[in-house]
Amino acid sequence: MSDNKLSTKEILALKAQAHHLHPVVMVGQQGLTDSVIKETDAALTAHELIKVRVFGDDRAERIEICNALCETLSAQLVQHIGKLLVLWRKKPDEE
């Protein structure tokens, strides 16, 4: 699987698209659980572009969660503002 990084232009377009989205996944006190990963995976498969809300005030922990999600699900971070992450993953080609 090729790791195709988004260009700056693509990121700007995705940020604009994401602006009106509501968070579809919430990461709570338990942090990154299997069910959160499954939910995020399903949301990315359905929508390509999603918002994830990470509760908790520790910025370093939020960044860790973000990195773990991106790595586990082959997604890319489009934007990280406060407790909101915008993630993108290309939909798999329909066979």
Side-chain angles (χ1 to χ4, degrees):
M1 188 174 123
S2 66
D3 184 36
N4 47 350
K5 286 279 179 216
L6 293 166
S7 70
T8 306
K9 198 173 182 181
E10 288 170 318
I11 287 174
L12 287 172
L14 288 170
K15 280 182 184 179
Q17 280 181 2
H19 185 71
H20 69 279
L21 296 177
H22 296 286
V24 290
V25 178
M26 310 288 177
V27 182
Q29 269 68 36
Q30 288 80 37
L32 206 52
T33 61
D34 285 346
S35 60
V36 168
I37 291 170
K38 282 189 187 120
E39 201 177 318
T40 306
D41 187 38
L44 282 166
T45 300
H47 306 292
E48 274 192 338
L49 184 67
I50 63 166
K51 277 187 182 172
V52 178
R53 182 177 298 281
V54 182
F55 294 101
D57 296 322
D58 185 347
R59 180 172 166 76
E61 190 182 335
R62 288 197 306 266
I63 291 169
E64 238 173 73
I65 287 170
C66 170
N67 291 339
L69 270 176
C70 288
E71 201 169 302
T72 306
L73 301 173
S74 303
Q76 293 186 45
L77 177 68
V78 174
Q79 196 170 31
H80 175 192
I81 302 176
K83 297 181 182 185
L84 276 181
L85 310 172
V86 178
L87 301 180
W88 177 85
R89 183 179 70 193
K90 187 172 177 8
K91 277 189 181 172
D93 295 328
E94 300 296 320
E95 290 297 317

